Amino acid sequence: MALGQARYAQINTPLSQKLAQKKCLIAVHRGSWGGNITQNTIGAYAAALQMGADMVESDVNATTDGVLYSFHDGNEKRVFGVDKGIREMDSKEVEAYHPINTCNEPTAARINRLTEVLDFLSHGELLNIDRAWNIIPQLLEVLDRYPNAKYQVVLKAPLKAKEAYELLNAHPVKYMFMPICYSFEDVEAALSYPDLNVVGCEIIAFDAQTDLFSDACIQKIHDRNLYAWVNAITLGDVRTKPLYAKLDDDVSILQDPALGWGKLFEKKIDIIQTDWPAILYQYRQKILGVE
């Protein structure tokens, strides 16, 4: 059975089939980057796919002249060595910069336009787009040029981005959508948009007492024909910024994968976002028996 509403089954079937085949999908945060390869670039996505990723994640932001780039705003100092935000630059300025590698040396590369990423992911690869809920009209204008994008792209936004929900609800192309949820009330609020193609939920649980950590809530998400996505990534001090009750990449790699990823498997989480796809791939193969 396809995820989401039955009337959107044709759109949602490729993702549903992959989830049925893999049992738990591996989504890779900004691609796999390091050395001379920069986050959120085609190189990072190519590396992630070679490491066993089932889906890659791209942050998308727009320049002053309306060009969309695969880039996480706030990382301009790290990537370009400048204090100016990408949203304050035009495309000519952006493309004049060469990213700095992990040895703090400039590379010959540049960051990629969203259109370049979509052209690269031309064989049905899954793409989660983040950070774009403030530029939905521009984003839809680009995605609508790609007939297969509706089968590949999963959009996301928090509930506070009400305009994004309304625009996607009204848009004729029903791109797959994942609300960012901090409680089960958020899940229900997202489902209140009747024409939004909700296929799953990104669930945040700061601790084990959060309702979205409970197996009962995860089951209720599944009962609504949705997947549950959990972030195993760590965005800082895990003591103050846990995304899912410290069941994360850090504990999985530094202690034992059974204490992190293994518990997510036990809780029947459907998609795990990680920064370490190759290691998670090997562990999934061992525990769940899938390639």
Side-chain angles (χ1 to χ4, degrees), residues 202-219:
E202 176 180 313
I203 56 177
I204 309 294
F206 297 122
D207 54 45
Q209 285 68 53
T210 305
D211 67 345
L212 289 177
F213 187 81
S214 74
D215 293 344
C217 270
I218 294 168
Q219 184 59 52

Side-chain angles (χ1 to χ4, degrees), residues 1-257:
M1 180 181 292
L3 295 161
Q5 299 184 48
R7 57 182 168 149
Y8 302 138
Q10 183 181 14
I11 294 172
N12 302 341
T13 290
L15 173 58
S16 304
Q17 290 178 336
K18 178 159 279 194
L19 184 55
Q21 175 190 7
K22 303 285 189 175
K23 301 180 184 178
C24 180
L25 301 186
I26 299 170
V28 184
H29 180 230
R30 308 185 196 180
S32 294
W33 47 284
N36 219 41
I37 295 178
T38 303
Q39 60 178 281
N40 272 316
T41 61
I42 286 172
Y45 302 138
L49 293 169
Q50 291 177 61
M51 292 182 187
D54 302 302
M55 178 186 291
V56 293
E57 182 249 10
S58 172
D59 302 291
V60 175
N61 278 278
T63 54
T64 57
D65 54 343
V67 178
L68 273 56
Y69 286 89
S70 181
F71 190 88
H72 192 298
D73 56 304
N75 281 270
E76 295 83 2
K77 184 71 172 179
R78 173 189 296 171
V79 176
F80 298 140
V82 299
D83 290 318
K84 188 176 183 180
I86 191 170
R87 298 176 182 177
E88 301 169 334
M89 304 179 192
D90 63 23
S91 57
K92 184 177 180 180
E93 183 176 4
V94 168
E95 295 185 13
Y97 288 119
H98 294 283
I100 298 168
N101 68 18
T102 54
C103 294
N104 204 34
E105 295 289 339
T107 68
R110 61 177 178 81
I111 67 168
N112 296 116
R113 296 186 179 204
L114 176 60
T115 52
E116 293 174 313
V117 172
L118 293 170
D119 288 338
F120 172 71
L121 301 174
S122 61
H123 302 95
E125 298 90 347
L126 295 170
L127 171 66
N128 170 231
I129 292 182
D130 196 2
R131 305 288 291 178
W133 48 80
N134 293 324
I135 53 169
I136 290 295
Q138 299 100 304
L139 177 62
L140 293 176
E141 192 276 327
V142 172
L143 293 180
D144 287 350
R145 298 181 217 158
Y146 291 80
N148 289 327
K150 61 180 175 288
Y151 305 112
Q152 297 177 260
V153 174
V154 180
L155 306 178
K156 66 188 282 191
L159 266 295
K160 64 182 181 181
K162 185 176 180 180
E163 184 179 3
Y165 281 70
E166 292 172 346
L167 288 169
L168 291 169
N169 188 63
H171 193 66
V173 181
K174 295 303 174 184
Y175 295 102
M176 295 180 285
F177 183 75
M178 172 174 65
I180 302 172
C181 300
Y182 294 84
S183 67
F184 195 76
E185 288 182 359
D186 288 348
V187 177
E188 294 177 319
L191 293 174
S192 71
Y193 291 85
D195 299 319
L196 191 62
N197 182 15
V198 180
V199 291
C201 303
E202 176 180 313
I203 56 177
I204 309 294
F206 297 122
D207 54 45
Q209 285 68 53
T210 305
D211 67 345
L212 289 177
F213 187 81
S214 74
D215 293 344
C217 270
I218 294 168
Q219 184 59 52
K220 286 196 290 184
I221 289 170
H222 289 155
D223 289 344
R224 283 155 176 78
N225 205 25
L226 307 174
Y227 67 68
W229 164 303
V230 159
N231 298 305
I233 60 175
T234 52
L235 298 177
D237 188 339
V238 71
R239 295 171 298 179
T240 58
K241 292 185 177 181
L243 295 176
Y244 204 72
K246 301 181 183 178
L247 302 184
D248 56 30
D249 287 346
D250 284 10
V251 71
S252 299
I253 293 171
L254 300 176
Q255 297 184 47
D256 187 329

